[in-house]
Amino acid sequence: MVLPACMAFDFDSTLAYFREGKEGLSAIFTQRGISEDIVLQAYKEAKRDGGFNIKKFQLHVENLTQHGFDSIEIEREFKSWLRENLILYPESLTTLSRWRILHVPVAIITFGDPKYQRQKIATFHLPYNELHIVTAKDGKPRELRKLLRKYGKHIVFVDDKPSVLDGV
């Protein structure tokens, strides 16, 4: 059997998912009397330009409502929501561990805000060799080319989005 030179995985919706989608996230603001429409608009705006993070989300809600919120309390609720709702797929830890046992390097290549992505990934103490966080929509192919130069041919990349795979 020929082993790949490296295994690369996306994180969101490939290794982990949100138990309740992102509905609980909006509750951080709807429970403070902000309409669902405004929260949804703020979420979409916060995702643009490098990916979501809670501070950008809060800033967009505040800009849309002209109302300020306690950043420390928002961050605390967000961390609690993240701990309760971000779930690894049952096979993720086993899969990553098996590749590491076979001495095949494991890379996680994910899109989004670097601090937020690190926060999510650190929740699980996953066994990986490299973490590549991209903020540009076409960043994953660039990072895969770096892995190809480093490890050689036969890199396997797993992602949940067909458009990303087409771009690769």
Side-chain angles (χ1 to χ4, degrees):
M1 172 170 74
V2 176
L3 295 175
C6 178
M7 291 294 300
F9 297 88
D10 173 46
F11 182 74
D12 295 302
S13 301
T14 301
L15 294 174
Y17 65 98
F18 289 101
R19 179 191 336 245
E20 299 172 358
K22 301 215 173 68
E23 291 174 20
L25 179 60
S26 64
I28 292 172
F29 293 104
T30 57
Q31 70 187 4
R32 289 172 167 81
I34 306 303
S35 77
E36 191 71 43
D37 290 341
I38 288 176
V39 171
L40 181 60
Q41 181 181 347
Y43 176 77
K44 287 178 182 177
E45 290 175 10
K47 280 183 63 172
R48 287 191 200 119
D49 301 323
F52 173 90
N53 73 46
I54 191 63
K55 288 182 182 180
K56 284 196 317 188
F57 187 28
Q58 179 180 345
L59 181 64
H60 285 292
V61 170
E62 289 174 347
N63 287 340
L64 290 168
T65 62
Q66 299 300 307
H67 186 281
F69 298 97
D70 180 344
S71 295
I72 294 171
E73 184 64 19
I74 297 293
E75 181 75 26
R76 186 192 63 71
E77 288 181 34
F78 173 71
K79 286 180 180 177
S80 176
W81 172 80
L82 197 59
R83 275 192 309 275
E84 293 172 14
N85 288 289
L86 187 61
I87 308 292
L88 276 182
Y89 285 107
E91 64 278 1
S92 293
L93 186 58
T94 304
T95 299
L96 298 180
S97 297
R98 283 185 182 155
W99 288 114
R100 294 283 305 270
I101 288 169
L102 293 169
H103 303 288
V104 173
V106 172
I108 297 175
I109 303 176
T110 186
F111 171 82
D113 177 82
K115 181 181 176 191
Y116 178 50
Q117 292 304 100
R118 281 187 186 88
Q119 184 180 23
K120 290 189 301 186
I121 292 165
T123 303
F124 299 111
H125 308 286
L126 295 171
Y128 62 87
N129 301 84
E130 298 188 34
L131 175 59
H132 300 257
I133 301 172
V134 300
T135 57
K137 293 287 184 188
D138 62 347
K140 288 182 183 182
R142 187 173 41 256
E143 295 305 311
L144 285 164
R145 284 191 292 276
K146 288 179 186 176
L147 291 175
L148 273 170
R149 285 191 295 275
K150 182 174 183 176
Y151 295 110
K153 293 184 179 181
H154 306 297
I155 291 178
V156 175
F157 177 54
V158 182
D159 196 293
D160 64 303
K161 292 186 178 134
S163 62
V164 170
L165 295 170
D166 289 344
V168 170

